[in-house]
Amino acid sequence: MTYSKYQSKVVPLENNWRLNCLLPHLATITNPKGERHTSYFGFNCYEEATAFSQYLTENNLCSRAIIRRSQRLSLCNYEIKSWGVGSAILVRILNQQDLPLINFVNQEQQVS
């Protein structure tokens, strides 16, 4: 599965690392070899970020996640910086890009 067709903006970082802005509330950082290092999910409220972080960790969709004031996603107040996120969840989010991420979580819980 690939999400490269969704890539909208690449921001060069130090030492040939790249910030790949996929949506205003979704980005990844890749190393010089193009391998994903971290993923970022953006939110305007802390409670929504907390709910999505719990969703990621409880469903083993990442290896680690932290919530912080947004540093990479400039249009969001908070972001989740996460490691070990697979392409499948990124593609599912991109396919429903018109939904806020918290709605994505609520929709997934209703399906389960």
Side-chain angles (χ1 to χ4, degrees):
M1 235 181 244
T2 181
Y3 58 90
S4 59
K5 71 178 182 177
Y6 297 99
Q7 199 165 42
S8 59
K9 181 180 176 186
V10 176
V11 178
L13 303 173
E14 292 181 18
N15 300 320
N16 293 320
W17 287 67
R18 293 179 302 261
L19 174 65
N20 309 290
C21 302
L22 304 169
L23 297 171
H25 57 276
L26 179 63
T28 64
I29 288 186
T30 51
N31 66 21
K33 294 180 181 180
E35 301 162 332
R36 189 174 341 104
H37 184 262
T38 51
S39 298
Y40 297 86
F41 303 92
F43 300 87
N44 289 322
C45 93
Y46 186 80
E47 292 75 20
E48 289 180 356
T50 300
F52 194 78
S53 178
Q54 288 174 346
Y55 170 76
L56 289 174
T57 55
E58 289 173 2
N59 291 288
N60 298 316
L61 298 172
C62 70
S63 57
R64 181 172 172 234
I66 59 169
I67 301 170
R68 65 184 190 185
R69 282 285 196 186
S70 192
Q71 296 174 19
R72 301 289 185 184
L73 302 171
S74 61
L75 298 178
C76 301
N77 294 325
Y78 297 94
E79 67 188 19
I80 298 170
K81 179 179 182 179
S82 54
W83 292 263
V85 173
S87 296
I89 182 120
L90 298 177
V91 169
R92 285 176 27 221
I93 290 168
L94 288 166
N95 285 336
Q96 298 179 28
Q97 59 186 300
D98 56 331
L99 293 177
L101 287 175
I102 195 64
N103 290 351
F104 177 81
V105 172
N106 293 335
Q107 183 183 43
E108 289 295 309
Q109 290 173 345
Q110 289 174 2
V111 171
S112 301

